[in-house]
Amino acid sequence: TTTGLGGRILDPAQQPIAGAQVRAVSPSLERQVSSGADGFYRLAPLPPGRYRLTVTAPRFAALETEAVLAVH
């Protein structure tokens, strides 16, 4: 069973950031995608588990957080 993670990358003025790198890392896997022109990204399929997420884009500070993905 798999799940996924998606969202939209926006700047402080709520404008989309195209080409932001979104990286998800767990002990057993690493995935990376770029946001589209509209700022949306989708990382799928991903197995359930704990992930460290990093978002980077030129001219912006990197964002790091953790997420736990589950299937219900």
Side-chain angles (χ1 to χ4, degrees):
T1 304
T2 62
T3 187
L5 178 69
R8 191 172 191 201
I9 310 297
L10 302 172
D11 69 13
Q14 301 301 301
Q15 297 301 306
I17 300 176
Q21 298 298 304
V22 182
R23 183 173 163 224
V25 178
S26 75
S28 61
L29 109 95
E30 179 177 332
R31 293 268 168 80
Q32 183 168 316
V33 296
S34 296
S35 61
D38 56 4
F40 283 101
Y41 70 92
R42 178 97 176 127
L43 286 159
L46 292 172
R50 183 176 301 273
Y51 291 86
R52 172 153 296 280
L53 303 175
T54 306
V55 180
T56 57
R59 302 183 323 272
F60 293 95
L63 171 70
E64 288 192 22
T65 191
E66 287 192 8
V68 176
L69 302 180
V71 175
H72 296 279

